[in-house]
Amino acid sequence: MATSRLLVNYPEPYRSQILDYLFMPNFGASLHILKVEIGGDGQSTDGTEPSHMHYENDENYFRGYEWWLMKEAKKRNPNIKLIGLPWAFPGWIGRGQNWPYNHPDVTVYYIVSWILGAKQYHNLDIDYIGIWNERSFNCKYIKLLRYTLDKRGLQRVKIIASDNMWEPISFFMMVDSELHKVVDIIGAHYPGTKTVASALATQKKLWASEDYSTFNDEVGAGCWARILNQNYVNGNMTSTIAWNLVASYYEALPFGRDGLMTAQEPWSGYYAVEGPIWITAHTTQFTHPGWHYLQVDGHLEDGGSYVALTDGLGNLTIIIETMTYRHSQCIRPPLLPFIVSPQKATFYLKGSFVSKYLCMYHINVFRDIRLLCFLSLQVHEGMFSLNLDVDEVYTLTTLMTGRKGTYPDPPQSKPFPSNYKDDFNIRNPPFSEAPYFADQTGIFEYFVNTSDPGDHIFTLRQVVIQRPITWASDADQAISIIGDFKWVNVTITCDVYIEHLGNGGVFIAGRVNNGGIYVRCSKGLFFWVFADGTYRVTGDLSGEEVLMKGMSGVRARVWHTLTLNLKGSSASGLLNGYPLWENVTLSETSHGWAAIGTRSFEFAQFDNFHVEAS
């Protein structure tokens, strides 16, 4: 996913404030579940996340930021449930094939190692494990995974399958009793609040294991409010997991601002607590894992829905939503038109709920966002009525603990610094990635170059040397982007070190216009040097649009300094401070990020990065 990439670079106290809005009970979203990517070195929507095993004989449980994120969530809410799911896998798992199931024992070993590492190195208990995000499943693999989990003392870890559609996993579970036994939860993505008969027939728990994925404005909040209720009302889904947690990646990447809140400016400290946070709170602050849904009709007479949950100990929470069609469309699937009107709704309670006092919390996603008990409602003879307006959420509950947590306003929004340097000279980095660099193919990590006694001991190194088992269309070149997508006129300088003696190569680039799942289509201005002593200037990452080429004298395993100047429709390049090429005319004055990268999946190092925009 790589959607929390920039969060780790926020300064305090703002980083902790963002985490509080997400995870602290009775403060903000008060999330019950955190689902993280098991990094696989491949593109997973908005970037790559590092694997704990880049290579077969390699294990490192401190790469990336997911370990940190899970610990921060657990620190605030020890009861939060943790899910791990792979998007991509390191290439060695496929034994030369772009497929993780040819050797299921190898893939099982890889996944179970991640679960064991979470416990051994971070004291994190993983509650649920997925199969392969939105890709094929393999029955033999799932069964072997369950067997190995049990053998390693991980009986508590439940299996979710298959994080795709309801079918064909439901069908296979109905005809394969052993598979039915080992799968605990059927997880579907973007189900449109509907399920299918075969999934219901399994009598397994049904989850919308990925949903929402919508721009987090008022309409996004309405989408989230509608599906949180109607996934259960229409589809019997007892959990709905939002993609994504927090929009903490460059907004111009795919699905910009499709998070519950926005935190995409660590350089300024600015963040925004968006409406979906408070929509979430209307459910999560008044229920807890272990509560169960009551069997009710769930549909309001004039449109909208309601659900009722109880802890079985006398507490009751009713959540009502009246989102209109215009104000609740999600990014997917298409939503058929419907009508919601203002209405008076009467509710009837039975049994131990007949004489309850209920506290009412209310939100209108277009007028006000508040979270306080503004009305204490007495239930008379098991009945109460409410006048409901449209585009509103009401929570009626016996719990009095809800609140809208607040912090002072964060700093003002600012663009990425126009003059930015990083020499990567950090002995014990808190994270494996350098600040603000967002890897789009390959993995760029801090590196201690013990063979260099000079100025390049601490560097940034590209470390993926085999194409991963991909989830998306990864590029054939490694690339990491940084900066402001609006940059036009820039000067980029970086020291580079080609490690591969044969056909190794590296580049620096400006005006890079694509990333994420579209990284293969990236265009811009790319300045390449190669181990064979040549250079190229291209208008695309793939290197097909050659604008200039020639000899450079560059050699592998020697440090060189590249400089790229982009101004208007003209570009020039320097090698070791001396002009190498100039007067390259750009067909259009585009804009985009700065970037560094390699010719292929190969080791290479970078140092003393500097970008200056004017």
Side-chain angles (χ1 to χ4, degrees):
M1 297 181 292
T3 51
S4 302
R5 172 64 194 91
L6 298 176
L7 176 59
V8 297
N9 301 136
Y10 265 79
E12 295 293 353
Y14 311 115
R15 188 173 72 176
S16 290
Q17 292 172 4
I18 295 164
L19 292 165
D20 288 348
Y21 280 117
L22 293 169
F23 301 119
M24 184 181 290
N26 300 316
F27 188 84
S30 300
L31 293 171
H32 296 170
I33 292 175
L34 172 61
K35 181 178 183 178
V36 303
E37 175 181 349
I38 300 175
D41 294 341
Q43 175 60 241
S44 56
T45 301
D46 287 300
T48 62
E49 294 201 28
S51 170
H52 59 289
M53 298 178 72
H54 291 319
Y55 329 110
E56 189 167 4
N57 59 351
D58 162 66
E59 288 187 66
N60 184 323
Y61 297 92
F62 295 92
R63 295 185 182 121
Y65 42 85
E66 301 290 12
W67 311 109
W68 167 84
L69 185 61
M70 288 188 284
K71 287 190 288 188
E72 292 294 325
K74 279 285 188 181
K75 184 190 304 182
R76 288 161 174 80
N77 179 6
N79 296 319
I80 196 167
K81 302 298 182 183
L82 300 177
I83 305 175
L85 175 66
W87 267 248
F89 298 87
W92 62 267
I93 284 178
R95 298 289 197 263
Q97 301 294 318
N98 192 41
W99 193 245
Y101 300 135
N102 287 340
H103 304 275
D105 56 323
V106 176
T107 309
V108 166
Y109 168 75
Y110 171 79
I111 294 296
V112 173
S113 295
W114 184 85
I115 299 171
L116 292 170
K119 182 63 175 179
Q120 180 178 348
Y121 295 98
H122 302 285
N123 197 30
L124 292 167
D125 291 308
I126 304 302
D127 299 286
Y128 303 93
I129 196 73
I131 307 304
W132 188 11
N133 183 66
E134 295 176 349
R135 296 296 180 262
S136 298
F137 63 90
N138 177 280
C139 297
K140 180 180 178 181
Y141 167 77
I142 296 173
K143 296 170 187 176
L144 182 59
L145 177 61
R146 178 72 273 165
Y147 171 80
T148 308
L149 289 170
D150 292 347
K151 187 177 179 180
R152 298 302 301 266
L154 297 169
Q155 293 87 351
R156 66 183 301 278
V157 179
K158 292 180 168 55
I159 292 177
I160 304 173
S162 66
D163 280 291
N164 201 341
M165 309 298 287
W166 295 118
E167 296 289 14
I169 185 65
S170 299
F171 170 79
F172 277 94
M173 289 174 64
M174 292 299 291
V175 299
D176 185 335
S177 60
E178 186 181 355
L179 181 67
H180 185 277
K181 181 180 179 181
V182 300
V183 173
D184 299 283
I185 293 159
I186 303 178
H189 287 195
Y190 307 96
T193 78
K194 302 294 196 302
T195 187
V196 297
S198 58
L200 292 168
T202 65
Q203 298 187 323
K204 295 286 186 175
K205 290 183 179 179
L206 308 181
W207 286 9
S209 53
E210 182 178 316
D211 215 334
Y212 175 61
S213 186
T214 300
F215 192 82
N216 58 19
D217 58 5
E218 293 88 349
V219 174
C223 152
W224 186 229
R226 178 176 57 80
I227 64 177
L228 273 177
N229 261 25
Q230 294 191 25
N231 275 347
Y232 178 75
V233 172
N234 298 333
N236 206 38
M237 289 164 262
T238 56
S239 180
T240 297
I241 300 174
W243 189 91
N244 55 67
L245 172 72
V246 52
S248 202
Y249 47 100
Y250 291 114
E251 186 171 340
L253 286 169
F255 308 104
R257 275 189 57 185
D258 280 14
L260 296 179
M261 62 181 292
T262 305
Q264 58 193 19
E265 291 186 19
W267 47 86
S268 72
Y270 173 78
Y271 63 87
V273 185
E274 314 286 3
I277 288 287
W278 305 117
I279 293 295
T280 307
H282 267 267
T283 293
T284 54
Q285 288 201 22
F286 308 105
T287 61
H288 300 285
W291 284 47
H292 62 269
Y293 284 89
L294 297 175
Q295 297 298 316
V296 297
D297 176 81
H299 296 98
L300 295 170
E301 187 172 333
D302 290 314
S305 67
Y306 66 96
V307 294
L309 299 98
T310 182
D311 61 357
L313 302 174
N315 284 308
L316 173 68
T317 291
I318 301 169
I319 304 136
I320 306 164
E321 63 80 22
T322 58
M323 296 300 130
T324 58
Y325 170 75
R326 181 183 174 190
H327 295 151
S328 68
Q329 295 182 58
C330 304
I331 193 171
R332 67 178 78 87
L335 183 65
L336 295 175
F338 59 87
I339 296 173
V340 179
S341 304
Q343 60 194 293
K344 182 176 182 178
T346 300
F347 295 83
Y348 299 89
L349 306 183
K350 295 181 179 180
S352 60
F353 302 131
V354 166
S355 58
K356 292 287 186 183
Y357 276 95
L358 296 177
C359 191
M360 186 160 76
Y361 298 78
H362 166 259
I363 183 173
N364 182 297
V365 296
F366 289 92
R367 289 201 301 271
D368 57 30
I369 296 177
R370 53 181 174 169
L371 199 67
L372 68 157
C373 182
F374 73 94
L375 177 64
S376 184
L377 191 68
Q378 170 69 64
V379 179
H380 292 288
E381 297 181 355
M383 182 185 75
F384 66 91
S385 296
L386 291 174
N387 291 313
L388 306 176
D389 203 349
V390 299
D391 292 324
E392 299 196 326
V393 177
Y394 303 81
T395 297
L396 298 103
T397 179
T398 54
L399 302 181
M400 307 295 177
T401 52
R403 70 181 172 119
K404 183 181 180 182
T406 59
Y407 282 114
D409 289 342
Q412 292 294 308
S413 173
K414 294 180 181 178
F416 192 95
S418 60
N419 192 336
Y420 181 76
K421 299 179 181 180
D422 195 337
D423 60 13
F424 312 118
N425 289 350
I426 180 167
R427 185 172 296 274
N428 295 302
F431 299 98
S432 57
E433 307 98 331
Y436 312 149
F437 280 93
D439 303 346
Q440 300 303 308
T441 297
I443 297 292
F444 295 73
E445 295 181 347
Y446 281 118
F447 181 64
V448 180
N449 190 356
T450 54
S451 64
D452 190 319
D455 298 330
H456 301 287
I457 297 175
F458 300 102
T459 67
L460 195 68
R461 191 189 199 201
Q462 200 293 118
V463 297
V464 177
I465 57 174
Q466 181 180 1
R467 186 175 182 83
I469 297 173
T470 56
W471 179 80
S473 297
D474 297 44
D476 297 320
Q477 306 77 19
I479 177 172
S480 187
I481 61 172
I482 188 170
D484 192 327
F485 188 68
K486 297 178 182 178
W487 279 345
V488 176
N489 299 324
V490 293
T491 297
I492 303 162
T493 299
C494 190
D495 297 340
V496 299
Y497 185 86
I498 301 169
E499 296 191 40
H500 196 284
L501 289 173
N503 59 355
V506 297
F507 69 81
I508 62 174
R511 301 185 186 174
V512 177
N513 72 344
N514 254 319
I517 53 177
Y518 308 117
V519 65
R520 286 185 73 89
C521 305
S522 293
K523 293 186 178 298
L525 200 289
F526 296 79
F527 175 15
W528 309 76
V529 292
F530 305 105
D532 64 2
T534 63
Y535 78 90
R536 283 193 179 190
V537 182
T538 68
D540 57 355
L541 175 62
S542 63
E544 296 176 1
E545 185 186 340
V546 179
L547 305 176
M548 185 172 283
K549 63 181 179 178
M551 298 302 297
S552 68
V554 165
R555 293 180 293 128
R557 300 184 183 176
V558 176
W559 281 98
H560 300 278
T561 301
L562 302 184
T563 301
L564 173 62
N565 295 306
L566 295 174
K567 187 170 184 179
S569 60
S570 180
S572 61
L574 287 76
L575 174 64
N576 299 326
Y578 295 95
L580 180 64
W581 55 271
E582 58 186 359
N583 298 326
V584 168
T585 301
L586 307 179
S587 58
E588 58 181 87
T589 304
S590 57
H591 57 87
W593 298 289
I596 58 175
T598 62
R599 179 183 199 168
S600 63
F601 291 101
E602 61 184 278
F603 288 127
Q605 295 178 52
F606 303 83
D607 203 0
N608 299 316
F609 177 85
H610 181 201
V611 58
E612 189 169 5
S614 60

